[in-house]
Amino acid sequence: MSAGTPLGSPLNIMHIIEKYKQDLQPPVCNKMIYDGDFKVMIIGGPNQRKDFHVEEGEEWFYQIKGDMNLRLRVDGQFKDIPIREGEMFMLPAKIPHSPQRFADTVGMVIERERRESEMDHLQWYCDNCEKIVHRKTFKCVDLGKQLVPVIQEYFASTELRTCAACCHVNQV
């Protein structure tokens, strides 16, 4: 701890979850609870996501209440990583991932501060041929706030949901 940095008190995560439960609503269900060198978020379920997030840094998942599924795209294949209540998982950098959270669940995600040169990506895959249908690149400042309009834009646009490779239109 550097000089001049105030020493905080321990926090009760269950009290924090209760305080912000109104923020843990679809489509992203995300609330930033600490924003420093590490970004600490609590995320509720259910979510309504078909996108895959790609980040330059690692992400640490801890499932506080209930179970979730972390859908990955690895070596051209989809892979499901179930994370059960009380379990944690370290996601390596640059792996496309889509957290699937079920009703009445709560998890915590910790990310490091992004470097100035780093960009985040959201991408969607074709339900038919599995090619990327749409990809949005952005400078991430607050993921919880920035994801919602990108996801809503994708859902609202038949053009964005139409695969250039096979012409299939992904459903919302």
Side-chain angles (χ1 to χ4, degrees):
M1 179 170 288
S2 63
T5 301
L7 182 62
S9 299
L11 302 173
N12 183 308
I13 192 66
M14 300 315 281
H15 290 158
I16 291 171
I17 291 167
E18 182 62 28
K19 178 179 178 180
Y20 294 113
K21 68 181 176 184
Q22 74 280 359
D23 295 311
L24 307 180
Q25 303 299 319
V28 180
C29 312
N30 184 317
K31 178 64 180 174
M32 181 85 67
I33 61 171
Y34 181 79
D35 190 3
D37 288 343
F38 291 98
K39 310 294 183 193
V40 180
M41 296 163 279
I42 51 173
I43 303 103
N47 64 0
Q48 300 171 356
R49 293 182 64 179
K50 289 184 152 190
D51 63 281
F52 283 73
H53 178 222
V54 183
E55 182 189 338
E56 300 287 325
E58 298 170 324
E59 295 184 49
W60 184 79
F61 290 79
Y62 173 63
Q63 196 58 23
I64 297 166
K65 178 183 174 194
D67 300 344
M68 69 161 291
N69 185 56
L70 187 60
R71 189 137 220 241
L72 309 179
R73 183 75 174 182
V74 181
D75 298 327
Q77 301 291 318
F78 291 109
K79 178 180 173 110
D80 291 328
I81 304 289
I83 305 173
R84 293 178 178 77
E85 184 173 315
E87 291 183 339
M88 59 185 136
F89 177 75
M90 180 64 77
L91 177 69
K94 301 179 184 177
I95 303 251
H97 59 285
S98 183
Q100 305 300 307
R101 297 184 182 278
F102 312 117
D104 300 317
T105 62
V106 179
M108 179 186 298
V109 175
I110 301 175
E111 304 173 345
R112 64 164 172 75
E113 176 74 25
R114 281 137 173 97
R115 296 180 180 107
E116 189 61 37
S117 62
E118 293 178 340
M119 301 295 282
D120 281 55
H121 313 279
L122 281 187
Q123 56 197 38
W124 286 262
Y125 294 89
C126 179
D127 293 334
N128 185 52
C129 72
E130 298 186 356
K131 302 278 191 217
I132 293 177
V133 172
H134 178 63
R135 182 177 181 151
K136 180 79 170 189
T137 300
F138 58 98
K139 178 70 178 161
C140 187
V141 178
D142 184 336
L143 194 63
K145 291 180 181 174
Q146 289 177 273
L147 287 185
V148 173
V150 174
I151 292 169
Q152 289 173 340
E153 176 187 33
Y154 173 80
F155 283 166
S157 172
T158 302
E159 182 180 341
L160 295 181
R161 293 183 286 112
T162 301
C163 180
C166 74
C167 298
H168 174 78
V169 179
N170 280 348
Q171 297 304 306
V172 175

